[in-house]
Amino acid sequence: MLLVTGGAGFIGSNVVAALNQAGRSDVVICDLLGTEGKWRNLAKRQLVDIVPPTELMDWLKGRKLEAMIHLGAISATTATDGDLVVETNFRLSMRLLDWCTMNTVPFIYASSAATYGDGTEGFDDDPSLPALKKLRPMNLYGWSKHLFDLAVAERVARGDRLPPQWAGLKFFNVFGPNEYHKGSMMSVLARRFDDVRAGRVVQLFKSHREGIEDGDQRRDFIYVDDVVRVVLWLLATPSVSGLFNVGTGKARSFKDLMLAAYAALGTRPNIEYIDMPEQIRDSYQYFTQSEVDRLLRAGYNGGFTTLEDAVKAYVGDYLDRPDRFR
């Protein structure tokens, strides 16, 4: 069996969909479905079991797994409950790492570009302890992910035993189908698409930094299908371990993202710029761009979808249809 934690979430449900499409029905999910319709991310899937996170360690006793894909986390960059975030994102991850080590199970886990903080130290996915210790995440979520990266790197540096394959994936700005339950953490495209389609004004943040135009804050936007390809490639390539950025390597602006949506619909842009809330100005990233050389040197050759093609696919295949779910 394959275990996907966070398998009902955005990236997780897309990974599960790809596994099903590849003929794998022996998939177990660890997640909470809640009451906000998150189950719809799984409505077209075939599964062995759905295990609540609080029961996972007991469920794992005596089990045999082909691999564990650990994507479950509190992923809101606005999270403030430090104890809950540490328990969920760090301590559970440590227990799962130990279990995979003891049971010789490949372990692929989600890190985050949020570990890079404001980008002062660049976006090089150098997995060494000295390099990682220079990073200063700007929010609780990013710090919790960074804490786990450091713990893994410490074991590597000491030569401690690890799973037969381990891979940490620093996801950049992922967007695509099944992100709808994420509320304010959805991509701007998903949040604003109905306005785009209806011709209503779309609001983007003004810039509060000299030299950067309104709407020209840039992110490394990556379509979820590209992320899934990386995960499946790692599953098929057990000889590869390490810490890897997962982005396109090209930063694009929020304005570019929304203009691509208008182009996909063939409609005229209607964008206005509003002040960024003061409470996030000091922690707002104006630029992220992954360095993907390490992933490419490891042998990945799946390529990355251009922003325009990704938006066109997302709009045409999902957002502009009655059924938006994968």
Side-chain angles (χ1 to χ4, degrees):
M1 290 186 294
L2 291 165
L3 173 67
V4 182
T5 74
F10 168 36
I11 296 175
S13 65
N14 278 278
V15 168
V16 172
L19 290 170
N20 273 183
Q21 289 164 4
R24 299 294 301 259
S25 59
D26 55 341
V27 179
V28 176
I29 282 175
C30 173
D31 212 332
L32 293 173
L33 300 183
T35 59
E36 302 301 318
K38 195 173 171 184
W39 67 272
R40 295 187 184 279
N41 287 347
L42 301 174
K44 302 169 188 176
R45 307 281 69 87
Q46 184 175 358
L47 306 167
V48 173
D49 200 356
I50 301 176
V51 182
T54 54
E55 298 177 18
L56 181 58
M57 297 313 299
D58 284 338
W59 183 90
L60 283 169
K61 291 177 181 177
R63 300 278 180 178
K64 292 184 178 180
L65 295 177
E66 182 179 328
M68 183 183 296
I69 305 167
H70 178 39
L71 306 175
I74 294 173
S75 59
T77 57
T78 53
T80 57
D81 188 334
D83 296 318
L84 180 62
V85 169
V86 166
E87 176 60 33
T88 304
N89 294 3
F90 176 66
R91 297 191 71 224
L92 176 59
S93 297
M94 292 298 295
R95 290 193 288 272
L96 296 179
L97 175 66
D98 288 341
W99 187 90
C100 287
T101 299
M102 293 297 295
N103 291 276
T104 62
V105 171
F107 181 69
I108 298 168
Y109 75 91
S111 181
S112 172
T115 58
Y116 290 115
D118 64 4
T120 301
E121 296 297 330
F123 300 95
D124 182 3
D125 51 0
D126 184 338
S128 68
L129 270 175
L132 289 174
K133 286 180 177 179
K134 293 178 182 178
L135 302 182
R136 294 292 179 268
M138 299 172 71
N139 52 57
L140 176 60
Y141 163 69
W143 173 71
S144 69
K145 289 293 187 179
H146 182 56
L147 200 60
F148 186 66
D149 288 342
L150 284 168
V152 175
E154 179 75 31
R155 294 188 180 192
V156 173
R158 290 198 307 249
D160 291 352
R161 186 181 168 198
L162 285 163
Q165 179 190 28
W166 65 271
L169 304 179
K170 292 198 172 194
F171 297 131
F172 277 68
N173 281 70
V174 188
F175 69 101
N178 293 11
E179 62 174 315
Y180 321 118
H181 64 283
K182 292 172 67 67
S184 64
M185 291 295 109
M186 276 192 293
S187 68
V188 173
L189 174 56
R191 290 204 313 272
R192 299 291 179 250
F193 179 75
D194 287 340
D195 292 330
V196 171
R197 185 169 57 183
R200 294 188 292 265
V201 66
V202 170
Q203 296 179 330
L204 297 179
F205 285 144
K206 291 180 180 178
S207 170
H208 295 271
R209 186 171 294 180
E210 188 175 348
I212 297 178
E213 296 182 1
D214 294 341
D216 199 40
Q217 302 93 331
R218 294 176 179 249
R219 295 286 185 276
D220 191 333
F221 296 107
I222 180 168
Y223 196 43
V224 70
D225 286 8
D226 294 347
V227 169
V228 170
R229 274 196 296 274
V230 173
V231 173
L232 296 189
W233 173 75
L234 283 165
L235 285 175
T237 318
S239 60
V240 173
S241 292
L243 185 64
F244 302 103
N245 283 336
V246 180
T248 66
K250 295 180 180 179
R252 300 291 300 274
S253 71
F254 285 98
K255 182 178 179 181
D256 289 340
L257 179 70
M258 298 316 299
L259 289 178
Y262 284 107
L265 289 173
T267 57
R268 175 181 291 184
N270 185 13
I271 300 173
E272 71 174 18
Y273 299 97
I274 61 172
D275 286 331
M276 186 182 298
E278 289 190 15
Q279 62 266 31
I280 67 170
R281 289 184 193 177
D282 291 339
S283 61
Y284 188 82
Q285 289 178 305
Y286 271 72
F287 180 87
T288 65
Q289 180 172 281
S290 66
E291 297 182 20
V292 294
D293 290 351
R294 188 166 276 104
L295 182 64
L296 300 180
R297 288 198 303 269
Y300 181 72
N301 61 1
F304 302 104
T305 310
T306 66
L307 181 68
E308 286 73 17
D309 286 346
V311 170
K312 183 178 180 180
Y314 190 12
V315 169
D317 296 341
Y318 300 100
L319 289 178
D320 198 30
R321 294 185 175 229
D323 181 0
R324 293 183 172 182
F325 292 87
R326 184 174 183 186

